[in-house]
Amino acid sequence: MSKTYPITAAALHWLELILAERFGHAWHLARVGDSLHLSLEGAEGAIAFDTLQAGFTEAHSNQPFTSWDAEREGWHAVLDGALPAPGVVELPSPLIEPHADGHVVHYDILGLAYWMLARVEEVGRTNLDNHLRFPAIASHAFKHGYLDRPVVDEWLHLLGQVMQRQWPGLVLKWHSPRTLVSCDVDSPFAYLERGNGYRMARGLAGDLLKRRSPRLAWRNVRGQWRARRGVHSLDPHRLGLDLIMDVNERAGRAVAFYFIPENTDPRLDNRASLDDPRMRVLLREIHTRGHEIGIHPGYNTYRHPETMKQSVATLRRVLDEERIQQPILGGRQHYLRWETPTTAALWHDNNLDYDTTLTYADRPGFRCGTCHEYPLFDPRQGRALQLRERPLVLMECSVIARRYLGLGYSQEALEMMQGLRETCQHVGGDFTLLWHNSHLGSDRDRQFYRALLS
């Protein structure tokens, strides 16, 4: 039987903060009998939510589902089609009604926001993938076909309309859409990672026998020889970093580059130490060009306090030694390994400013139901965290790689990615993109990347 995580007084205060960030103004939430009342400081009346759903406090993905046609009832839907409505079998009509003291909404919009933003759905789940991640295919959003829609943003857009009918003349905060590009630097140097004789021989054999490309083999031999002398002009991973900076600088956009500070798994973490002089040169170049340096905690940090603490300390030390000063420090978990709420608490405890891990590896989309940054909440401890979440909308591997959707560099893949970006723009949110520098080694890679960010 799944556990429940009630909406406490602390959770209500957290939801007030969410509403203040989204709409501006000071809001107050209070329980009145079996309803939740939303009021505006200094104004009369309230918006009542009279159908609170217990399912939004439960950690499972078996909640019922329906949809609602906003346009048919005289409201505006920010996206095409009916609004997804998790948590209920059916909704009454009309869904929103005027009342003597305000308006009544017969759907638990704020309960939905709590369930999605705090990721209550996935607390304590055991149906995990081979990397112990909660997968998209186990989620309620995937099962009911709304993973590609920021359902919380859609319902808050509707709530904004109710607010303006309740308090005519109320001006709500406006959000300008952004494109936030990041890169997980799992492998900064392709050739240095092949540094010993065995790896070099194995790579050469793969080029000749598996890929049947003597030209590639010769390029890699020359690249390895040059890399040993500090010249990386043929290194595809190092060139990928330059390409990312070049493309985004032309668009007037800074990129966040996330580095693995400590090796926590000899097979799956980066072998290049941040104390390597070549890494220090790279960090200084990224910073000098106006981009951000962040943390990419290793494979075995997401639920291990000591390895997480050591990783954060190492990166802070290196940045301090290089006199790289940044207003904030954030990043993303390696392999997107995340356990709700354990990992968020580790980031909070280590005084990190933001995380941008939360998408699914096996599917792109809106894991948190939003593309707006927000403060995280720990439903197990019942406390708001200082850590902010920038939900990741798209990792390139999720669409391109055979082990996931497997669409490759097809027109279908590009249209899916561009569609996600357009959805974020419609709701005034952030299109957050992760593209690895190690996936820019071919002409197809580079053309696709430029097409997406043009």
Side-chain angles (χ1 to χ4, degrees):
M1 184 175 180
S2 63
K3 291 187 177 181
T4 62
Y5 300 94
I7 299 180
T8 60
L12 288 180
H13 179 63
W14 170 71
L15 287 169
E16 291 171 346
L17 296 177
I18 297 289
L19 296 176
E21 287 194 5
R22 184 62 60 94
F23 299 116
H25 308 287
W27 305 94
H28 179 64
L29 287 169
R31 294 188 182 276
V32 180
D34 294 329
S35 299
L36 188 62
H37 285 209
L38 172 66
S39 57
L40 175 62
E41 189 172 296
E44 295 183 356
I47 299 171
F49 303 89
D50 67 344
T51 313
L52 306 183
Q53 298 297 324
F56 289 146
T57 67
E58 298 171 357
H60 62 82
S61 303
N62 300 320
Q63 284 83 356
F65 177 82
T66 189
S67 59
W68 179 66
D69 189 339
E71 306 289 340
R72 189 175 61 186
E73 296 194 15
W75 302 89
H76 174 250
V78 67
L79 300 178
D80 292 336
L83 272 71
V88 292
V89 175
E90 61 181 351
L91 289 170
S93 182
L95 185 67
I96 303 163
E97 297 181 286
H99 189 268
D101 297 323
H103 283 75
V104 179
V105 180
H106 304 303
Y107 180 60
D108 191 4
I109 296 175
L110 298 178
L112 171 67
Y114 171 73
W115 190 65
M116 292 294 295
L117 300 180
R119 302 309 304 135
V120 175
E121 174 184 10
E122 57 190 76
V123 177
R125 297 293 288 273
T126 58
N127 50 336
L128 309 177
D129 69 7
N130 59 319
H131 292 291
L132 301 181
R133 302 171 298 197
F134 181 62
I137 58 173
S139 71
H140 189 272
F142 176 81
K143 292 177 180 179
H144 294 280
Y146 65 92
L147 183 57
D148 61 344
R149 299 182 62 152
V151 60
V152 173
D153 296 336
E154 292 187 71
W155 280 103
L156 290 184
H157 179 267
L158 177 78
L159 179 57
Q161 296 172 60
V162 181
M163 290 172 172
Q164 290 182 313
R165 289 198 189 181
Q166 172 62 36
W167 299 288
L170 179 67
V171 177
L172 301 180
K173 185 177 180 180
W174 183 78
H175 296 268
S176 177
R178 302 182 298 177
T179 296
L180 302 180
V181 180
S182 59
C183 172
D184 292 351
V185 191
D186 300 335
S187 173
F189 303 102
Y191 298 129
L192 293 179
E193 301 247 330
R194 302 182 187 179
N196 63 42
Y198 170 75
R199 289 197 183 91
M200 288 179 62
R202 185 177 176 181
L204 182 62
D207 294 336
L208 294 173
L209 302 177
K210 183 178 180 180
R211 290 173 283 278
R212 298 182 180 181
S213 177
R215 181 179 178 183
L216 181 59
W218 173 236
R219 176 189 172 94
N220 285 333
V221 168
R222 287 188 299 136
Q224 185 69 51
W225 184 84
R226 290 188 182 185
R228 285 172 173 265
R229 287 153 182 79
V231 179
H232 305 289
S233 57
L234 293 178
D235 190 314
H237 294 185
R238 183 61 182 82
L239 291 174
L241 293 169
D242 287 333
L243 176 73
I244 290 172
M245 287 188 278
D246 291 342
V247 168
N248 287 282
E249 284 169 9
R250 283 195 289 270
R253 184 186 300 124
V255 179
F257 293 92
Y258 304 135
F259 289 87
I260 301 175
E262 293 286 340
N263 191 333
T264 67
D265 185 290
R267 298 176 302 109
L268 300 174
D269 283 348
N270 174 27
R271 297 181 181 87
S273 168
L274 293 185
D275 287 316
D276 187 314
R278 289 161 292 198
M279 287 293 289
R280 295 298 185 98
V281 170
L282 174 58
L283 293 175
R284 289 196 296 270
E285 179 184 343
I286 289 172
H287 179 66
T288 299
R289 291 180 66 167
H291 300 284
E292 177 188 345
I293 295 168
I295 191 165
H296 194 41
Y299 189 80
N300 288 316
T301 60
Y302 76 116
R303 56 182 182 184
H304 300 287
E306 289 306 314
T307 53
M308 177 67 80
K309 181 179 179 180
Q310 182 59 47
S311 295
V312 175
T314 296
L315 181 59
R316 291 190 189 277
R317 172 182 61 80
V318 170
L319 294 178
D320 185 60
E321 290 172 355
E322 294 301 326
R323 298 181 180 178
I324 294 174
Q325 296 182 347
Q326 300 179 144
I328 59 174
L329 183 60
R332 178 183 298 115
Q333 285 292 138
H334 193 30
Y335 273 78
L336 304 184
R337 296 188 96 195
W338 186 272
E339 182 179 270
T340 300
T342 309
T343 313
L346 290 180
W347 283 63
H348 168 91
D349 293 343
N350 282 280
N351 297 312
L352 293 166
D353 295 293
Y354 76 88
D355 166 76
T356 182
T357 300
L358 287 177
T359 192
Y360 295 111
D362 52 330
R363 296 290 189 281
F366 302 94
R367 177 173 178 172
C368 303
T370 183
C371 52
H372 286 259
E373 180 179 321
Y374 67 95
L376 277 169
F377 188 84
D378 182 338
R380 183 176 285 158
Q381 297 294 324
R383 61 169 180 158
L385 303 179
Q386 294 300 314
L387 178 69
R388 299 183 64 81
E389 182 61 31
R390 295 179 181 175
L392 178 60
V393 175
L394 172 64
M395 175 176 70
E396 90 280 21
C397 304
S398 302
V399 176
I400 295 169
R402 291 181 180 179
R403 64 186 181 276
Y404 298 132
L405 283 179
L407 299 182
Y409 296 99
S410 63
Q411 185 63 28
E412 181 183 0
L414 182 59
E415 289 176 358
M416 175 181 287
M417 294 180 179
Q418 290 174 331
L420 289 167
R421 184 177 184 177
E422 290 170 4
T423 295
C424 296
Q425 291 173 340
H426 280 307
V427 298
D430 299 330
F431 174 61
T432 46
L433 169 69
L434 158 59
W435 200 291
H436 295 82
N437 62 298
S438 51
H439 292 172
L440 289 167
S442 71
D443 289 338
R444 288 189 307 167
D445 293 324
R446 295 186 286 271
Q447 291 169 2
F448 204 89
Y449 187 78
R450 290 189 180 100
L452 179 60
L453 289 174
S454 62

